[in-house]
Amino acid sequence: MDKYLIKKKSTIEETSTTRANNDCSKRRRVEINLEDLPSDPGLRKKISDYHPNVRDRIRRHYLQQGPCQPQGHDFPQKKFGNIFRRFIPKWFEEHKNWLEYSIAKDASFCLCCYLYRPDIGAQASGEVFVSEGYTNWKKKEKFNEHVGGPDSAHNKTWRRCEDLMNQQQHIQFAFEKQSEQARTDYRLRLTASLDCIRFLLSQGLAFRGHNETEESHNQGNFLQLLYFVANHNDAIKNVVLNNAPGNMKMISPDIQKDLIRACAMETTNTILHELGDEFFAILLDESRDVSVKEQMAVALRFVNSEGCVVERFLGIVHVSDTTASSLKAAIQLLFLKHNLSLSKVRGQGYDGASNMRGEFNGLKTLIMQENSSAYYVHCFAHQLQLALVAVAKKKSQVAAFFNSVASITTLVGASCKRRDLLREKQQNRVLEAFETGEFSMGKGSNQERSLQRGGNTRWGSHYRSLISLTVMFSSVIEVLQIIEKDGSTADQRGEAFSLLSVMPTFEFVFILHMMKTILGITNELSLALQRRDQDIVNAMVLIEVAKQRLQDMRDEGWDSLISEVSIFSDRNDIDIINMNEMYVAPRRSRRKGEALTNLSYFRCELFNSVIDWQLQELNSRFNEVYTNLLLCVACLSPNDSFASFDKSKLIQLARFYPSEFSEVDIQLLDNQLETYILDMRSHEEFLNLENIGDLSQKLVATRRHIVYPLVYLLMKLALILPVATASVERIFSAMKIVKNRLRNKMGDSWMNDCLITYIEKDIFCNIDNERILNSFQVMRPRKGHL
């Protein structure tokens, strides 16, 4: 009996364990992330390998994405006998509903047969178009044979795909025939939820609340906003929330995410439609989000149908590592998802990281090995910032000055008490200045300020830091004096004492104003380089203008700088030195010091030397822009009645793009350029243009881009060359807003959808609800969700 009980118990335990394992296995198989499904048909596994409960979701996902048809891909050639053949992109147009191409296998597939092919053998090459892939490019007729007649296996699978995407054919819909009023209520309820979602997406706000129960006083932004809308519209109030059927409230997290995904999909589709079949450049960078996950942001730069240069956000991808090969694989997967190809890339814009610009294993090299016309341009704004940092490191006095500024910012702004004290001192000073007439009243003037910290990786931060220190100089001195006297620790008192021995000196004030002026000149250049429509020729001109301004400052700016420093020193009770006296270096013996007058030290050793090094750095950092490619691009500039036009260099520019300009096209371009320049110089409307971007828009507006197609193609290729990665930096700024400390558990797919709609809100706001609702219904063809 005991043996029986023990055996029985063991059997029960084994059965329970097996059942539990099966349940766990079932859960693992059912849970699937649709965004992780491979877009390349050659990399997909069979539909039968997925759990039956998720197959329809997978089928619907692939049907909604459409066939994988990479546009503009450089299809490789394969030798058949003595003839080389390849896949022809025109076949996509002939079989646009089902024909797919795998870049990984260089083979064609059938989407509907992959999703629903019945197990009836290899009828009409059915198995070839599903698992192996068709590669015999010399027999195009096999495509039509695969389609077959009305009752063929292919057409049966196609009808099943249509039935799946048509909710009117769903069997559940037949059982749940609803009245017209119920349909109206459903649409009004869904539209109300969508309107709330659109508002939250455009503002980058969170959706969920910590406690969404009916007893909660704050159920989260989405539900609270829906309550607000309902309370101000009786028609909506009668059909939403508690007045809606229990299984159709349209407020569940899954419904919200699907609506957000529909919004993001339609926004991306609009961007891809705007891109069309044009060439483009990629802008790319990586950064960590708040949950310490490495994210790669990708933006596209192209010329739209109106001739305007635009930069659009394509997507953000989580990458496990930032090696060049991993980044390239992530780009290819993202492109394949949107039917794009690296073959269409005609420019690359990255920062100066080694994994990006490396000559042997960098990302730019890997892409150029596949596409030699994808020319790389180091971000101009990054180069400018590197030049500024290099100057600070080369000149020891300037480096020490910036170290002191950083210490002042840290010490004064280290606590709320000191910040409040600084604001109080500055406010009192402003009030005194009003009474004496030093400051004038005005809208936006004399606002509350605080010291800003400079950073080598933040563009323009050093300039803003010096501006704030200049404005609050006397207030900062007063706060340092208080810290020296009443500091909580000896280290703080000692540091304040050290800074007070440096800050109220003529040399500190001189370097402060000198660097503020220099950084002001380069800051204007930095802001100009960050414009999305900035073209590379105009950027080169702006750099030359900045160099000229620095040279003018060196030649003629000494007297004005000394006058400004003297006035500032007198206002803040700082001793003004006599330039004819001998310079006494601090912390140095007079015997060992070099015999210099104050004029020689401040003008030659500091003023002239710093500007010379700044000019030298700008020349060395931007030497790569003077390549043959960009010198040829400059010949397209319309400045001074097309004074820089050079036909031979433009012909040379065309030869940089052999895929777009054959030898026949080169000859046609030669003749076309002669007519083009005569036409441009004979019309007043083209003579006052300032840059290539304006010229491009004017050519489209006057329909001359049709008359001179090869010249316009050259212009587009020049315009899409990237200038700066400011658009990608803005994406990371938006990421910090969307995925913040309180939303640090956002999934990658959800964050990407929220970012697309938030960043490209000018497109998203112009998409009507009908398109979004149609995409949502494709995702969820059955009505009856919470």
Side-chain angles (χ1 to χ4, degrees), residues 606-657:
L606 285 182
F607 184 76
N608 291 347
S609 179
V610 169
I611 295 178
D612 289 342
W613 272 341
Q614 181 67 76
L615 290 171
Q616 181 181 349
E617 281 297 324
L618 288 176
N619 288 326
S620 63
R621 294 286 176 181
F622 291 96
N623 60 350
E624 65 182 84
V625 302
Y626 295 103
T627 59
N628 290 332
L629 171 65
L630 300 187
L631 287 175
C632 294
V633 169
C635 298
L636 290 168
S637 175
N639 284 338
D640 300 327
S641 302
F642 297 85
S644 58
F645 177 83
D646 188 328
K647 188 179 74 171
S648 61
K649 287 187 177 180
L650 291 178
I651 295 294
Q652 183 181 354
L653 174 62
R655 295 187 184 277
F656 279 101
Y657 300 95

Side-chain angles (χ1 to χ4, degrees), residues 495-598:
E495 187 174 3
F497 174 81
S498 177
L499 292 174
L500 284 173
S501 65
V502 173
M503 189 173 173
T505 61
F506 185 86
E507 183 169 346
F508 184 91
V509 172
F510 178 85
I511 298 177
L512 171 64
H513 284 77
M514 177 184 67
M515 292 307 303
K516 180 169 66 71
T517 305
I518 292 176
L519 294 180
I521 294 173
T522 54
N523 186 64
E524 292 180 3
L525 173 60
S526 177
L527 294 175
L529 293 176
Q530 294 176 45
R531 286 176 46 195
R532 299 188 185 200
D533 60 344
Q534 188 66 264
D535 64 82
I536 201 163
V537 173
N538 198 48
M540 295 165 62
V541 173
L542 291 172
I543 292 169
E544 292 302 317
V545 171
K547 292 178 182 178
Q548 185 60 49
R549 287 189 61 190
L550 287 172
Q551 187 64 49
D552 293 342
M553 178 182 173
R554 186 188 189 281
D555 297 337
E556 304 173 0
W558 168 256
D559 292 335
S560 60
L561 177 63
I562 284 294
S563 176
E564 182 182 359
V565 173
S566 299
I567 294 173
F568 184 87
S569 298
D570 183 63
R571 186 189 306 143
N572 292 277
D573 298 327
I574 298 174
D575 294 335
I576 301 175
I577 64 173
N578 187 340
M579 287 294 170
N580 295 322
E581 294 181 355
M582 299 302 295
Y583 172 72
V584 179
R587 298 177 301 276
R588 284 188 181 181
S589 172
R590 289 174 178 263
R591 297 177 180 178
K592 296 182 179 179
E594 185 178 357
L596 290 175
T597 63
N598 287 326

Side-chain angles (χ1 to χ4, degrees), residues 24 113 134 178 195 201 308 321 372 386 428 582-583 603 605 630 697 753 772:
C24 292
C113 288
Y134 182 73
Q178 302 178 14
D195 288 339
L201 286 175
C308 302
D321 61 78
S372 59
L386 290 172
N428 294 336
M582 299 302 295
Y583 172 72
R603 182 160 190 174
E605 293 295 318
L630 300 187
Q697 296 176 49
D753 294 340
I772 297 174

Side-chain angles (χ1 to χ4, degrees), residues 41-57:
L43 302 178
R44 300 171 188 162
K45 62 181 182 180
K46 295 181 179 180
I47 287 290
S48 58
D49 291 340
Y50 293 101
H51 192 277
N53 291 350
V54 299
R55 289 176 188 172
D56 278 354
R57 289 178 56 202

